[in-house]
Amino acid sequence: MPRIRRPFVVAAALAACTATALTLGTTGPAAAAGTGTQAARPTVDEPSLTGSAKLARQPGDNVHFRFNAHGFGEQARGTFYVSHHIGKDWGGYFKGRIDCLVTGGPVAVATGIVTEMRFKNAPGLPEIGDLRGKRFGFTVLDSGKKDRLGYSWAMDGLPKNSVGKCLGSAPFETLEKGDFKVHHWMPPRNPAKH
């Protein structure tokens, strides 16, 4: 029986295999295994916000932030972690997944949805409600050894109100120790047509 060549079928099959390989390669082994989590693996052509730091506060007021965010806009992935303790009686943490990241030079604005939290309340100190499912924003200025950080609940005093994707406040907090790294990248823009 003579062999019939079907270039379209072969090309379609190759395209499907390539798309599958690229998808699995960019989302990481965790997503390929079906765990539902995406690894925050950096590539050359994407923005990122990484690092951890302790904010400069009064003794006994310990606030830490950590980020591992990669990707542009709503395609961003990764994690954030925030802890705040005042003395030994009040404090806790919340953490979650990054859902948006945009950079501009040394500045990054990221948002994320809280997936886990634990706080111990104490008399006379603020009571933290359930934060799970809320979106908070973070802004980082990567300025070498003088980085700054801002967060969306700055005007509220406590983290309670969700914000839109990629919205944060001015980076008003200074760091006591630690370092954040912002890698700026924007997708190519198509020139305007006249």
Side-chain angles (χ1 to χ4, degrees):
M1 175 184 257
R3 209 167 159 183
I4 300 173
R5 294 186 182 228
R6 294 188 173 108
F8 177 77
V9 174
V10 172
L14 286 173
C17 290
T18 302
T20 301
L22 288 174
T23 301
L24 293 176
T26 59
T27 58
T35 62
T37 59
Q38 292 184 353
R41 293 182 173 210
T43 65
V44 175
D45 293 332
E46 68 177 1
S48 64
L49 166 60
T50 57
S52 62
K54 178 182 181 192
L55 299 186
R57 295 283 181 94
Q58 296 295 321
D61 187 0
N62 297 303
V63 183
H64 297 264
F65 284 79
R66 182 173 60 230
F67 303 102
N68 184 17
H70 303 271
F72 177 72
E74 294 181 7
Q75 307 306 308
R77 65 212 175 277
T79 59
F80 68 91
Y81 175 88
V82 179
S83 70
H84 190 177
H85 294 270
I86 298 176
K88 295 180 182 179
D89 297 327
W90 182 91
Y93 72 91
F94 61 93
K95 63 183 182 176
R97 63 178 174 79
I98 297 292
D99 69 350
C100 194
L101 174 65
V102 176
T103 60
V107 177
V109 177
T111 50
I113 305 288
V114 176
T115 58
E116 182 181 321
M117 66 160 291
R118 179 169 297 164
F119 267 90
K120 177 182 167 189
N121 292 310
L125 292 170
E127 186 171 325
I128 304 295
D130 189 0
L131 303 177
R132 288 173 292 200
K134 294 189 177 183
R135 176 184 294 118
F136 296 118
F138 311 96
T139 305
V140 170
L141 170 62
D142 179 1
S143 187
K145 296 196 184 262
K146 296 185 178 186
D147 292 351
R148 298 179 75 88
L149 178 125
Y151 38 83
S152 61
W153 60 92
M155 299 305 292
D156 299 327
L158 294 174
K160 58 183 177 181
N161 295 319
S162 287
V163 297
K165 287 186 177 181
C166 278
L167 294 177
S169 74
F172 59 94
E173 295 269 15
T174 57
L175 307 184
E176 179 178 313
K177 63 181 179 179
D179 189 33
F180 294 118
K181 294 291 181 200
V182 173
H183 173 72
H184 173 64
W185 180 86
M186 292 290 284
R189 296 183 181 179
N190 293 329
K193 294 183 180 182
H194 298 291

